[in-house]
Amino acid sequence: MNMKSKKIRSNIITFGLVIVFYAVMEAMLVTGSMSSLMKGLLVPLCYYMILAASLNLVVGISGELSLGHAGFMCIGAFSSAVFARMVGDSIPGGAELFISVLIGAAFAAIFGFLIGIPVLRLRGDYLAIVTLAFGEIIKNVINAVYLGVDSNGVHVSLKDVKSLGLLDDGEVIIKGAQGIGNLPRNATFTIGIVLLLITLFIITNLVNSRQGRAIMSSRDNRIAAESVGLNVSEYKLTAFVISAALAGVAGVLYSHNLANLQATSKNFGYNQSILILVFVVLGGIGNIRGSLIAALVLTILPEKLRFFNDYRMLIYAIVLIVMMIMTSAPKVVAWRKMVAEKYFKKSRETEAGGKTDAKEV
């Protein structure tokens, strides 16, 4: 089996697992065998998997350490939420969500481009620190903004609601640290899965394209890539912008799953960015399917362990350590590869035997 066939097979397995997961969850919903807690986690599972896959594009495929992913998610969430409040009920829910996704992705991509131009000139820890600072700046700026709309147009202030000077027909949309209220909760599990599949389609096509190979070559050996004429900065910027846009899509899904949206440290702070990075590291850097599984497990696990009370975080930490060993320990990785090779060897021998028997008949 050549390399291209392996990639196609791997992509089919990834898409197949997502579809099977959706089918199982939908079956549980229809039969009423799903708990209310799990129902509340369905949409968060989708946007966490989108965030994990998109960050893996930067960390795993491009080889750059970014800690500002929550900032791009925040931009997508608030830009789409502002649009949703402005249009109100004038646009049907499905069309409004579709346009919101485009707006959230576009704004996040623009900021990703503006931030990426100077930031991607840095490397290693310096890049991580700057992207971390960007995420915190975005969150704090949004908390300081007051935005309203009236017949004269859009009004923005950094003081308070009164300083907006709205007319009687005016409406306040962003109330500083209080965020945005009265949002349409039209995000569903089905829409989340569709956005996840689109995300996977974009990432897998980029990785298997000429640009993707150039990005990975610059990750493996920057000097060699530049020596053959590749514009390393341009390719890395492409991966960074696409990753930011997909994080914005996750932010749209997040904001449309809430009635009130606030830019808090819990939702968009550096802990959120580190959590997304944990998904990527535990699932395997550069392994898109692994990051999806890690996001799924680590999102459900803390909720399922709530009945352990004080021991919940201890068990969670132990699971993290075990997952890290299973995905990163050299001997364990070698053992997994050996088992996989034996399995595929047996399957190929079985297929060859079946074909031989068919010819004899």
Side-chain angles (χ1 to χ4, degrees):
M1 186 181 293
N2 57 30
M3 185 63 66
K4 185 177 181 180
S5 299
K6 287 183 178 179
K7 289 181 178 179
I8 294 174
R9 184 171 185 173
S10 177
N11 293 338
I12 292 174
I13 292 173
T14 302
F15 281 92
L17 288 175
V18 174
I19 294 171
V20 169
F21 168 69
Y22 172 71
V24 171
M25 293 296 104
E26 281 295 318
M28 293 177 66
L29 282 172
V30 172
T31 57
S33 57
M34 183 179 293
S35 64
S36 58
L37 174 63
M38 190 63 194
K39 289 179 183 178
L41 286 177
L42 291 179
V43 176
L45 282 172
C46 293
Y47 60 68
Y48 274 129
M49 286 192 283
I50 293 173
L51 288 168
S54 59
L55 182 61
N56 215 337
L57 182 59
V58 173
V59 177
I61 308 303
S62 182
E64 302 292 347
L65 181 58
S66 172
L67 293 178
H69 220 51
F72 297 116
M73 177 187 176
C74 184
I75 291 170
F78 273 85
S79 60
S80 63
V82 169
F83 169 76
R85 281 293 307 276
M86 284 185 173
V87 298
D89 298 329
S90 60
I91 299 179
E96 182 272 315
L97 182 57
F98 174 74
I99 299 173
S100 294
V101 169
L102 297 180
I103 289 175
F107 272 88
I110 291 170
F111 275 87
F113 178 77
L114 296 175
I115 296 298
I117 291 175
V119 163
L120 290 177
R121 297 179 182 275
L122 305 173
R123 300 181 190 179
D125 298 338
Y126 300 103
L127 174 63
I129 292 171
V130 173
T131 52
L132 177 63
F134 159 74
E136 291 299 302
I137 290 171
I138 288 295
K139 175 176 64 67
N140 287 299
V141 167
I142 290 177
N143 281 330
V145 170
Y146 294 84
L147 186 145
V149 180
D150 60 15
S151 56
N152 289 334
V154 179
H155 303 261
V156 180
S157 173
L158 297 177
K159 295 180 179 180
D160 51 32
V161 174
K162 291 182 179 180
S163 60
L164 290 174
L166 296 175
L167 301 177
D168 294 336
D169 62 345
E171 181 184 11
V172 180
I173 296 179
I174 301 180
K175 300 179 181 180
Q178 296 180 21
I180 305 176
N182 301 322
L183 291 173
R185 299 186 61 182
N186 50 13
T188 63
F189 179 53
T190 301
I191 293 173
I193 290 295
V194 171
L195 292 177
L196 175 60
L197 291 173
I198 293 173
T199 298
L200 292 176
F201 178 79
I202 293 172
I203 293 175
T204 53
N205 276 273
L206 175 64
V207 171
N208 296 325
S209 66
R210 180 179 177 274
Q211 281 189 325
R213 291 189 292 271
I215 292 169
M216 289 184 284
S217 66
S218 62
R219 172 200 65 190
D220 296 334
N221 194 321
R222 186 185 183 100
I223 297 176
E226 289 177 340
S227 66
V228 296
L230 293 179
N231 190 336
V232 174
S233 299
E234 179 181 339
Y235 285 116
K236 286 186 178 292
L237 181 61
T238 300
F240 193 77
V241 170
I242 293 175
S243 175
L246 295 175
V249 171
V252 175
L253 198 60
Y254 174 84
S255 64
H256 281 67
N257 192 45
L258 299 172
N260 298 287
L261 177 64
Q262 294 177 314
T264 63
S265 297
K266 180 181 179 181
N267 299 334
F268 302 113
Y270 64 87
N271 284 332
Q272 182 80 313
S273 293
I274 292 174
L275 176 62
I276 303 167
L277 181 62
V278 169
F279 296 155
V280 173
V281 174
L282 289 182
I285 296 177
N287 186 344
I288 302 299
R289 189 193 314 150
S291 60
L292 298 182
I293 296 173
L296 177 67
V297 173
L298 296 182
T299 303
I300 295 176
L301 188 62
E303 303 300 329
K304 293 295 184 181
L305 294 176
R306 285 191 180 277
F307 59 89
F308 283 106
N309 295 327
D310 296 337
Y311 298 100
R312 179 169 67 96
M313 297 311 296
L314 175 62
I315 298 172
Y316 181 73
I318 293 173
V319 171
L320 288 179
I321 294 172
V322 172
M323 288 183 67
M324 179 63 76
I325 293 173
M326 292 297 295
T327 57
S328 302
K331 291 185 178 180
V332 177
V333 172
W335 174 78
R336 284 168 46 208
K337 288 183 179 179
M338 181 182 67
V339 172
E341 288 175 358
K342 286 184 178 180
Y343 171 77
F344 287 121
K345 184 178 180 181
K346 287 182 179 179
S347 64
R348 286 196 296 269
E349 290 175 353
T350 303
E351 291 175 0
K355 291 179 180 178
T356 303
D357 294 340
K359 288 180 180 179
E360 291 176 354
V361 172

